[in-house]
Amino acid sequence: MDNSIILIAGGVILGLILGFIIAKTLEKNNASKLVKEAKKSAALILKEANSEGETIKKDKILQAKEKFLELKGEHEKVILSRDKKMDEAEKRTRDKESQISNELAKTKKLSESLEAKERDYNHKLDVLDKKQEEIDRLHKSQVQQLEVISSLSAEEAKSQLVESLKGEAKNDAMAYIQSSMEEAKLTAEQDAKKIIINTIQRIGTEEAVDNCVSVFNIESDDVKGRIIGREGRNIRAIEAATGVEIIVDDTPEAIILSCFDSVRREIARLSLHKLVTDGRIHPARIEEVVEKTKKQIEQEIIEVGKRTVIDLGIHNLHPELIKMVGRMKYRSSYGQNLLQHSREVAKLCGVMAAELGLNPKLAKRAGLLHDIGKVPDAEADMETPHAILGMQWAEKYGEKDEVCNAIGAHHDEIEMKFLISPIIQVCDAISGARPGARRQVLDSYIQRLKDLEDIAFGFNGVKKAYAIQAGRELRVIVESEKVDDQKAADLSFSISQKVQTDMTYPGQVKVTVIRETRAVNIAK
């Protein structure tokens, strides 16, 4: 039993040893095969690497040669350019040398010519000197002979001649002065009157035209027909919407706008400009444009007020007072533009206050605002004197007592309590006293037109009223719901009787009542 176990164990051990030997042998054979294959792959990789290296080497050599040729070409171009510039510089140098040589030759010739002329000039001077000496000698000889003949020296004869000439000149001058003074006395007064009259007429004409008439220029007379419209409906719509008389006559390329109210006239002018530019001219469009223009004028009034106070250096003025200042542009005082008059008074007040050692800014502020009462908003304000109304507004919008008193006292409606008050009064008189500054006739004419419109507004149903044709016609627009055709005729008669009894006017006044009915529907 023990022997069999030993034999089995020995067989197992012997099998293990043989298996190990066989495995080692097989492993060695596989390793040798792997080494051979690795060597073969390495040789192949080395061969491919050498081949690729040769290719890269050849490409780099070719690139280096191309780069070399390129650099060589650029270098040759640079060299050729430098050679060309050097050739050009050499050529310019040769030309300059040639030019300098020519200039030197000319200079040499001129120098020789000048030397010849100088020699000739010196010769002539010598000859002249000799002739002058001879003339002086002959003159002395003649003077000596004359002295011997006249028994007077040259100085004595000269003094006698001067005295004689002085006496004659004095007598002639006195006679000329006397005649000139007599002529001046006769003509001075007449010429002065003529100059003053011409100046006043020129200024007055400009003021009247500026206050009553505007000219609207058009490109061609064809536009006149479009403005008039079919059977005159467009021009009637413009006149009804703006209250301005449109005069279309034979004047080439011009339409005249006539109205005493410069605000209405400006609205009509701007509306016409917009309509002509747009090209659409019909009653509905006219009313739309007029409404937009009225809003634009209101904005422009505010801008004018702001520019005025900025120009005069007036600060912290209430917005409502600024608006009133802007409205002065479209108002006049006795034919004088109210804004220009107020600006002038403000500047005069500032200068005068500074000369007297007072506050020039305060005086300038009062001068600008002194006539704001002439631009009332409501009809009720028109019954109050403009100085008192202006003072009330100034107090309402927080102006100082000095300014308020100066506004209210500049026409002596109230007592003057501050030193700047008489300054405002004096400067207002200075501005209004300039020749041609004011026209009493124009102011009364404008007041008459306003009174005409106020009479029409006193009747029920009147929506708008416009005095046109220099007050010879009163055009009244009534509300169609309140006034029928029969009442329109009665209203025209009543207004004409009221005008006839309450007003004084030259000629006749035509009262036209317009009643218009419109039916408007909207298609959706």
Side-chain angles (χ1 to χ4, degrees):
M1 187 69 180
D2 293 332
N3 289 332
S4 62
I5 293 171
I6 293 168
L7 286 174
I8 292 169
V12 171
I13 292 168
L14 181 62
L16 291 171
I17 292 169
L18 289 173
F20 179 76
I21 293 169
I22 292 168
K24 284 292 183 182
T25 303
L26 291 174
E27 184 179 356
K28 186 176 182 181
N29 290 333
N30 290 331
S32 62
K33 286 180 181 179
L34 290 172
V35 170
K36 286 180 182 179
E37 290 177 359
K39 287 182 179 180
K40 189 176 180 181
S41 298
L44 183 61
I45 291 170
L46 287 172
K47 185 177 179 181
E48 290 178 355
N50 289 330
S51 175
E52 188 176 354
E54 290 294 330
T55 303
I56 293 172
K57 181 178 179 182
K58 289 178 181 178
D59 291 339
K60 292 296 182 182
I61 291 170
L62 287 173
Q63 289 178 3
K65 287 181 178 179
E66 289 176 357
K67 188 67 176 179
F68 173 74
L69 292 174
E70 184 180 352
L71 293 173
K72 184 179 179 183
E74 292 179 356
H75 183 65
E76 288 177 352
K77 287 181 181 179
V78 173
I79 291 172
L80 289 173
S81 176
R82 287 181 180 176
D83 292 341
K84 185 177 179 181
K85 289 181 180 179
M86 290 179 65
D87 292 339
E88 290 177 355
E90 289 177 357
K91 184 179 178 181
R92 288 197 298 269
T93 303
R94 288 195 297 271
D95 292 341
K96 288 288 184 182
E97 289 177 352
S98 175
Q99 186 178 358
I100 291 170
S101 299
N102 294 332
E103 293 292 336
L104 288 173
K106 289 181 182 179
T107 304
K108 186 176 180 181
K109 289 181 181 179
L110 287 173
S111 178
E112 293 176 353
S113 175
L114 286 173
E115 288 178 356
K117 288 182 179 179
E118 185 178 1
R119 288 194 296 270
D120 184 45
Y121 176 72
N122 291 331
H123 176 69
K124 288 181 178 179
L125 282 177
D126 293 337
V127 173
L128 286 173
D129 289 340
K130 291 179 179 178
K131 287 185 177 180
Q132 186 64 38
E133 290 177 358
E134 185 176 356
I135 289 170
D136 292 340
R137 183 176 56 78
L138 291 173
H139 178 69
K140 289 181 180 179
S141 176
Q142 289 176 356
V143 170
Q144 289 176 357
Q145 291 178 2
L146 287 172
E147 288 177 352
V148 170
I149 293 170
S150 62
S151 68
L152 291 173
S153 66
E155 293 297 329
E156 292 174 349
K158 189 186 294 182
S159 62
Q160 288 182 5
L161 180 61
V162 168
E163 290 296 330
S164 176
L165 292 174
K166 278 184 180 180
E168 292 179 3
K170 188 175 181 180
N171 292 333
D172 292 342
M174 290 296 293
Y176 177 75
I177 290 170
Q178 187 67 26
S179 62
S180 299
M181 288 180 65
E182 291 176 357
E183 183 179 358
K185 286 179 181 179
L186 294 173
T187 61
E189 186 175 354
Q190 183 179 357
D191 290 342
K193 289 180 180 179
K194 186 186 296 182
I195 292 169
I196 293 171
I197 291 171
N198 288 337
T199 304
I200 293 173
Q201 285 177 343
R202 286 165 57 193
I203 295 175
T205 301
E206 291 172 359
E207 289 287 340
V209 170
D210 182 59
N211 281 321
C212 297
V213 175
S214 292
V215 178
F216 178 71
N217 297 313
I218 56 178
E219 295 180 355
S220 64
D221 290 338
D222 297 337
V223 181
K224 289 183 179 180
R226 293 167 56 198
I227 292 175
I228 294 171
R230 183 181 299 173
E231 298 178 355
R233 64 173 188 171
N234 290 342
I235 199 168
R236 286 199 302 273
I238 295 172
E239 290 180 344
T242 61
V244 174
E245 182 183 4
I246 312 295
I247 302 172
V248 181
D249 53 16
D250 296 333
T251 306
E253 299 180 354
I255 293 174
I256 297 173
L257 311 178
S258 176
C259 181
F260 70 94
D261 191 332
S262 54
V263 177
R264 289 190 210 163
R265 201 167 64 247
E266 183 68 10
I267 291 172
R269 188 186 68 81
L270 291 176
S271 300
L272 272 176
H273 177 72
K274 291 179 181 178
L275 290 167
V276 171
T277 304
D278 182 56
R280 295 176 294 168
I281 306 177
H282 52 83
R285 176 66 177 163
I286 288 169
E287 292 181 358
E288 178 186 353
V289 169
V290 169
E291 288 300 320
K292 289 181 179 179
T293 305
K294 287 179 180 178
K295 294 179 181 178
Q296 179 184 343
I297 289 294
E298 288 295 324
Q299 187 62 34
E300 183 180 346
I301 285 172
I302 296 173
E303 293 298 325
V304 169
K306 289 180 179 179
R307 286 199 301 271
T308 301
V309 297
I310 290 171
D311 291 343
L312 294 174
I314 296 173
H315 305 288
N316 300 324
L317 198 64
H318 195 277
E320 286 298 324
L321 293 179
I322 292 176
K323 186 176 179 181
M324 291 176 186
V325 170
R327 289 173 60 191
M328 289 182 184
K329 178 182 177 181
Y330 301 103
R331 293 291 184 271
S332 60
S333 173
Y334 299 97
Q336 186 181 20
N337 182 271
L338 191 57
L339 180 60
Q340 296 299 326
H341 165 66
S342 298
R343 287 173 63 102
E344 186 177 16
V345 171
K347 292 177 181 178
L348 290 169
C349 290
V351 174
M352 191 173 291
E355 291 291 334
L356 296 174
L358 302 176
N359 188 343
K361 292 184 178 180
L362 200 63
K364 195 182 292 185
R365 194 184 192 96
L368 178 64
L369 300 177
H370 81 285
D371 269 347
I372 57 172
K374 290 185 177 180
V375 286
D377 287 326
E379 184 178 353
D381 293 335
M382 299 178 66
E383 300 175 359
T384 307
H386 76 274
I388 302 300
L389 182 61
M391 180 184 69
Q392 292 172 355
W393 282 345
E395 291 173 347
K396 178 180 177 181
Y397 296 119
E399 291 297 318
K400 293 183 178 180
D401 293 339
E402 294 93 327
V403 175
C404 297
N405 181 256
I407 295 172
H410 77 278
H411 283 312
D412 295 323
E413 274 86 0
I414 62 174
E415 183 184 356
M416 296 183 182
K417 297 180 180 179
F418 299 95
L419 289 176
I420 66 169
S421 299
I423 294 177
I424 307 303
Q425 187 181 53
V426 170
C427 293
D428 179 42
I430 291 172
S431 177
R434 292 186 294 102
R438 294 187 170 184
R439 291 174 63 89
Q440 180 71 34
V441 176
L442 178 63
D443 189 71
S444 60
Y445 157 73
I446 292 173
Q447 186 62 43
R448 179 166 61 85
L449 299 185
K450 289 182 178 179
D451 292 341
L452 266 177
E453 295 180 352
D454 292 340
I455 287 175
F457 281 119
F459 290 85
N460 293 327
V462 176
K463 182 168 63 174
K464 296 179 182 178
Y466 300 123
I468 61 176
Q469 294 187 359
R472 291 190 295 274
E473 180 178 354
L474 178 62
R475 188 163 294 176
V476 182
I477 301 172
V478 297
E479 299 178 11
S480 58
E481 297 84 1
K482 297 181 179 180
V483 180
D484 57 16
D485 291 340
Q486 181 60 40
K487 287 184 179 180
D490 295 340
L491 182 63
S492 175
F493 177 76
S494 299
I495 293 174
S496 64
Q497 293 300 310
K498 182 74 170 175
V499 170
Q500 185 173 343
T501 56
D502 292 359
M503 293 188 63
T504 302
Y505 52 89
Q508 298 176 345
V509 178
K510 177 183 177 182
V511 179
T512 304
V513 175
I514 300 172
R515 179 179 178 271
E516 184 179 21
T517 303
R518 296 187 186 183
V520 179
N521 290 290
I522 299 173
K524 297 183 179 178

Coordinates of all heavy atoms in Angstrom, one line a residue, residues 419-469:
L419 N -38.3 153.4 -6.4 CA -37.4 154.2 -7.3 C -37.5 153.7 -8.7 O -37.3 154.5 -9.7 CB -36.0 154.2 -6.8 CG -35.7 155.0 -5.5 CD1 -34.3 154.8 -5.1 CD2 -36.1 156.5 -5.7
I420 N -37.7 152.4 -8.9 CA -37.7 152.0 -10.3 C -39.0 152.3 -11.1 O -39.0 152.3 -12.3 CB -37.4 150.5 -10.4 CG1 -38.6 149.7 -9.9 CG2 -36.1 150.1 -9.8 CD1 -38.5 148.2 -10.2
S421 N -40.1 152.7 -10.3 CA -41.3 153.0 -11.0 C -41.2 154.2 -12.0 O -41.7 154.1 -13.1 CB -42.4 153.3 -9.9 OG -42.6 152.1 -9.1
P422 N -40.6 155.3 -11.6 CA -40.5 156.4 -12.6 C -39.6 156.1 -13.7 O -39.7 156.6 -14.8 CB -40.0 157.6 -11.7 CG -39.4 157.0 -10.5 CD -40.2 155.7 -10.2
I423 N -38.6 155.2 -13.4 CA -37.7 154.8 -14.5 C -38.5 154.0 -15.6 O -38.3 154.3 -16.8 CB -36.6 153.9 -14.0 CG1 -35.7 154.7 -13.0 CG2 -35.8 153.2 -15.1 CD1 -34.6 153.9 -12.4
I424 N -39.4 153.1 -15.2 CA -40.2 152.4 -16.2 C -41.1 153.4 -17.0 O -41.2 153.3 -18.2 CB -41.1 151.4 -15.5 CG1 -40.3 150.5 -14.6 CG2 -41.9 150.6 -16.5 CD1 -39.2 149.7 -15.3
Q425 N -41.7 154.4 -16.3 CA -42.5 155.4 -17.0 C -41.7 156.2 -18.0 O -42.1 156.4 -19.1 CB -43.2 156.3 -15.9 CG -44.2 157.2 -16.5 CD -44.8 158.1 -15.4 OE1 -44.0 158.8 -14.7 NE2 -46.1 158.2 -15.3
V426 N -40.5 156.6 -17.6 CA -39.7 157.4 -18.5 C -39.2 156.6 -19.7 O -39.3 157.1 -20.9 CB -38.5 158.0 -17.7 CG1 -37.5 158.6 -18.7 CG2 -38.9 159.0 -16.7
C427 N -38.8 155.4 -19.5 CA -38.3 154.6 -20.6 C -39.4 154.2 -21.5 O -39.2 154.1 -22.8 CB -37.6 153.3 -20.1 SG -36.1 153.6 -19.2
D428 N -40.7 154.0 -21.0 CA -41.8 153.7 -21.9 C -42.1 154.9 -22.8 O -42.4 154.8 -24.0 CB -43.0 153.4 -21.0 CG -44.3 153.1 -21.8 OD1 -44.2 152.4 -22.8 OD2 -45.3 153.6 -21.4
A429 N -42.0 156.1 -22.2 CA -42.2 157.3 -23.0 C -41.1 157.5 -24.1 O -41.4 157.9 -25.2 CB -42.2 158.5 -22.1
I430 N -39.8 157.2 -23.7 CA -38.7 157.3 -24.7 C -38.9 156.4 -25.8 O -38.8 156.7 -27.0 CB -37.4 157.0 -24.0 CG1 -37.0 158.1 -22.9 CG2 -36.3 156.8 -25.0 CD1 -35.8 157.8 -22.1
S431 N -39.3 155.1 -25.6 CA -39.5 154.1 -26.6 C -40.7 154.5 -27.5 O -40.6 154.4 -28.8 CB -39.8 152.7 -26.0 OG -40.1 151.8 -27.1
G432 N -41.8 155.1 -26.9 CA -42.9 155.4 -27.8 C -42.8 156.7 -28.5 O -43.5 157.0 -29.4
A433 N -41.8 157.6 -28.1 CA -41.7 158.9 -28.6 C -40.8 158.9 -29.9 O -40.7 160.0 -30.5 CB -41.1 159.9 -27.6
R434 N -40.2 157.8 -30.2 CA -39.4 157.8 -31.5 C -40.2 158.1 -32.7 O -41.4 157.6 -32.8 CB -38.7 156.5 -31.6 CG -37.7 156.1 -30.6 CD -36.9 154.9 -30.9 NE -37.8 153.7 -30.9 CZ -38.3 153.1 -31.9 NH1 -38.1 153.5 -33.1 NH2 -39.1 152.0 -31.8
P435 N -39.7 158.9 -33.7 CA -40.5 159.2 -34.9 C -40.9 157.9 -35.6 O -40.1 157.1 -35.9 CB -39.5 160.0 -35.7 CG -38.6 160.6 -34.7 CD -38.4 159.6 -33.7
G436 N -42.2 157.8 -35.9 CA -42.7 156.6 -36.6 C -42.9 155.4 -35.8 O -43.4 154.4 -36.3
A437 N -42.7 155.5 -34.4 CA -42.8 154.3 -33.6 C -44.3 154.0 -33.4 O -44.7 152.8 -33.3 CB -42.1 154.5 -32.3
R438 N -45.1 155.0 -33.3 CA -46.5 154.7 -33.0 C -47.4 155.4 -34.0 O -47.1 156.5 -34.5 CB -46.9 155.2 -31.6 CG -46.2 154.4 -30.5 CD -46.7 154.8 -29.1 NE -46.1 153.8 -28.1 CZ -46.5 153.9 -26.9 NH1 -47.3 154.8 -26.4 NH2 -46.0 153.0 -26.0
R439 N -48.6 154.8 -34.2 CA -49.6 155.4 -35.1 C -51.0 155.3 -34.4 O -51.5 154.3 -34.3 CB -49.6 154.7 -36.5 CG -48.4 154.9 -37.3 CD -48.4 154.0 -38.5 NE -49.5 154.4 -39.4 CZ -49.4 155.3 -40.4 NH1 -48.3 155.9 -40.5 NH2 -50.4 155.6 -41.1
Q440 N -51.4 156.5 -33.9 CA -52.7 156.5 -33.2 C -53.9 156.1 -34.1 O -54.8 155.4 -33.7 CB -52.9 157.9 -32.7 CG -54.2 158.1 -31.9 CD -54.2 157.4 -30.6 OE1 -53.1 157.4 -30.0 NE2 -55.3 156.9 -30.2
V441 N -53.8 156.4 -35.4 CA -54.9 156.1 -36.3 C -55.0 154.6 -36.5 O -56.1 154.0 -36.5 CB -54.6 156.8 -37.7 CG1 -55.7 156.3 -38.7 CG2 -54.5 158.3 -37.6
L442 N -53.9 153.9 -36.6 CA -53.9 152.4 -36.8 C -54.5 151.8 -35.5 O -55.3 150.8 -35.6 CB -52.5 151.9 -37.0 CG -52.4 150.4 -37.2 CD1 -53.2 149.9 -38.4 CD2 -51.0 150.0 -37.3
D443 N -54.2 152.3 -34.3 CA -54.7 151.7 -33.1 C -56.2 151.8 -33.0 O -56.9 150.9 -32.7 CB -54.0 152.3 -31.9 CG -54.3 151.5 -30.6 OD1 -53.9 150.4 -30.5 OD2 -55.1 152.1 -29.8
S444 N -56.7 153.0 -33.4 CA -58.2 153.2 -33.3 C -58.9 152.4 -34.4 O -60.0 151.9 -34.1 CB -58.5 154.7 -33.5 OG -58.0 155.1 -34.8
Y445 N -58.2 152.2 -35.5 CA -58.8 151.4 -36.6 C -58.9 149.9 -36.1 O -60.0 149.3 -36.3 CB -57.9 151.5 -37.8 CG -58.0 150.3 -38.8 CD1 -59.1 150.1 -39.6 CD2 -56.9 149.4 -38.8 CE1 -59.1 149.0 -40.5 CE2 -57.0 148.3 -39.7 CZ -58.1 148.2 -40.5 OH -58.1 147.1 -41.4
I446 N -57.9 149.4 -35.4 CA -57.9 148.0 -34.9 C -59.0 147.9 -33.8 O -59.7 146.9 -33.8 CB -56.5 147.6 -34.4 CG1 -55.5 147.5 -35.6 CG2 -56.6 146.3 -33.6 CD1 -54.1 147.2 -35.2
Q447 N -59.1 148.9 -33.0 CA -60.1 148.9 -31.9 C -61.5 148.8 -32.6 O -62.4 148.1 -32.1 CB -59.9 150.1 -31.0 CG -60.9 150.0 -29.8 CD -60.6 148.8 -28.9 OE1 -59.5 148.5 -28.7 NE2 -61.7 148.2 -28.5
R448 N -61.7 149.6 -33.6 CA -63.0 149.6 -34.3 C -63.4 148.2 -34.8 O -64.5 147.7 -34.7 CB -63.0 150.6 -35.4 CG -64.3 150.7 -36.2 CD -64.4 151.9 -37.0 NE -63.3 151.9 -38.0 CZ -63.4 151.4 -39.2 NH1 -64.5 150.7 -39.5 NH2 -62.4 151.4 -40.1
L449 N -62.4 147.5 -35.4 CA -62.6 146.1 -35.9 C -62.9 145.2 -34.8 O -63.8 144.3 -34.9 CB -61.4 145.7 -36.7 CG -61.0 146.5 -37.9 CD1 -59.9 145.8 -38.7 CD2 -62.2 146.6 -38.9
K450 N -62.2 145.3 -33.7 CA -62.5 144.5 -32.5 C -64.0 144.7 -32.0 O -64.7 143.8 -31.6 CB -61.5 144.7 -31.4 CG -60.1 144.1 -31.7 CD -59.2 144.4 -30.6 CE -57.8 143.8 -30.9 NZ -56.9 144.0 -29.8
D451 N -64.4 146.0 -32.0 CA -65.7 146.3 -31.5 C -66.8 145.8 -32.4 O -67.8 145.3 -32.0 CB -65.9 147.9 -31.4 CG -65.0 148.5 -30.3 OD1 -64.6 147.7 -29.4 OD2 -64.8 149.7 -30.4
L452 N -66.5 145.7 -33.7 CA -67.4 145.1 -34.7 C -67.6 143.6 -34.3 O -68.8 143.1 -34.3 CB -66.9 145.2 -36.1 CG -67.3 146.4 -37.0 CD1 -66.6 146.4 -38.3 CD2 -68.8 146.4 -37.2
E453 N -66.5 142.9 -34.1 CA -66.6 141.5 -33.8 C -67.4 141.3 -32.4 O -68.1 140.4 -32.3 CB -65.2 140.9 -33.7 CG -64.6 140.9 -35.1 CD -63.2 140.2 -35.0 OE1 -62.7 140.0 -33.9 OE2 -62.6 140.0 -36.1
D454 N -67.1 142.2 -31.5 CA -67.7 142.0 -30.2 C -69.3 142.2 -30.3 O -70.0 141.6 -29.5 CB -67.2 143.0 -29.2 CG -65.7 142.7 -28.8 OD1 -65.3 141.6 -29.0 OD2 -65.0 143.7 -28.4
I455 N -69.7 143.1 -31.1 CA -71.2 143.3 -31.3 C -71.8 142.0 -31.8 O -72.9 141.6 -31.4 CB -71.4 144.5 -32.3 CG1 -71.1 145.8 -31.6 CG2 -72.9 144.4 -32.8 CD1 -71.2 147.0 -32.5
A456 N -71.1 141.3 -32.8 CA -71.7 140.1 -33.3 C -71.7 139.0 -32.2 O -72.7 138.2 -32.1 CB -70.9 139.6 -34.5
F457 N -70.7 138.9 -31.4 CA -70.7 137.9 -30.3 C -71.8 138.2 -29.3 O -72.1 137.3 -28.4 CB -69.3 137.9 -29.7 CG -68.3 137.1 -30.5 CD1 -67.1 137.8 -30.9 CD2 -68.5 135.8 -30.7 CE1 -66.2 137.1 -31.7 CE2 -67.5 135.1 -31.5 CZ -66.4 135.7 -31.9
G458 N -72.3 139.4 -29.2 CA -73.4 139.6 -28.3 C -74.7 139.0 -28.6 O -75.7 139.1 -27.8
F459 N -74.9 138.4 -29.7 CA -76.2 137.7 -30.1 C -76.0 136.2 -29.9 O -75.0 135.6 -30.1 CB -76.5 138.0 -31.6 CG -76.9 139.5 -31.8 CD1 -75.9 140.4 -32.0 CD2 -78.2 139.9 -31.8 CE1 -76.2 141.7 -32.3 CE2 -78.5 141.2 -32.1 CZ -77.6 142.1 -32.3
N460 N -77.2 135.6 -29.6 CA -77.2 134.1 -29.4 C -77.0 133.4 -30.7 O -77.5 133.8 -31.7 CB -78.5 133.7 -28.7 CG -78.7 134.3 -27.3 OD1 -77.7 134.4 -26.6 ND2 -79.9 134.6 -26.9
G461 N -76.3 132.2 -30.6 CA -76.1 131.4 -31.7 C -74.9 131.7 -32.5 O -74.6 131.0 -33.5
V462 N -74.2 132.8 -32.2 CA -73.0 133.2 -33.0 C -71.8 132.3 -32.5 O -71.5 132.3 -31.4 CB -72.7 134.7 -32.9 CG1 -71.4 135.0 -33.6 CG2 -73.9 135.5 -33.4
K463 N -71.2 131.6 -33.5 CA -70.0 130.8 -33.1 C -68.7 131.5 -33.4 O -67.8 131.5 -32.6 CB -70.1 129.5 -34.0 CG -68.9 128.5 -33.6 CD -69.2 127.1 -34.2 CE -69.2 127.2 -35.7 NZ -69.3 125.8 -36.4
K464 N -68.6 132.2 -34.6 CA -67.4 132.9 -34.9 C -67.8 134.2 -35.6 O -68.9 134.3 -36.2 CB -66.5 132.1 -35.9 CG -66.0 130.8 -35.3 CD -65.1 130.1 -36.4 CE -64.6 128.8 -35.9 NZ -63.8 128.1 -36.9
A465 N -67.0 135.2 -35.5 CA -67.2 136.5 -36.1 C -65.9 137.1 -36.5 O -65.0 137.2 -35.7 CB -68.0 137.5 -35.2
Y466 N -65.8 137.6 -37.8 CA -64.6 138.1 -38.3 C -64.9 139.4 -39.1 O -65.8 139.5 -39.9 CB -63.9 137.1 -39.3 CG -63.6 135.8 -38.7 CD1 -64.1 134.6 -39.3 CD2 -62.7 135.7 -37.6 CE1 -63.7 133.4 -38.7 CE2 -62.4 134.5 -37.0 CZ -62.9 133.3 -37.6 OH -62.6 132.1 -37.1
A467 N -64.1 140.5 -38.7 CA -64.2 141.7 -39.4 C -63.2 141.7 -40.5 O -62.0 141.5 -40.3 CB -64.0 142.9 -38.5
I468 N -63.6 141.8 -41.8 CA -62.7 141.7 -42.9 C -62.9 142.9 -43.8 O -63.8 143.8 -43.6 CB -62.9 140.4 -43.7 CG1 -64.3 140.4 -44.3 CG2 -62.7 139.2 -42.8 CD1 -64.6 139.2 -45.1
Q469 N -62.0 143.0 -44.8 CA -62.0 144.1 -45.8 C -62.0 145.5 -45.1 O -62.8 146.4 -45.4 CB -63.3 144.0 -46.7 CG -63.3 142.8 -47.6 CD -64.4 142.8 -48.6 OE1 -65.2 143.7 -48.6 NE2 -64.5 141.8 -49.4

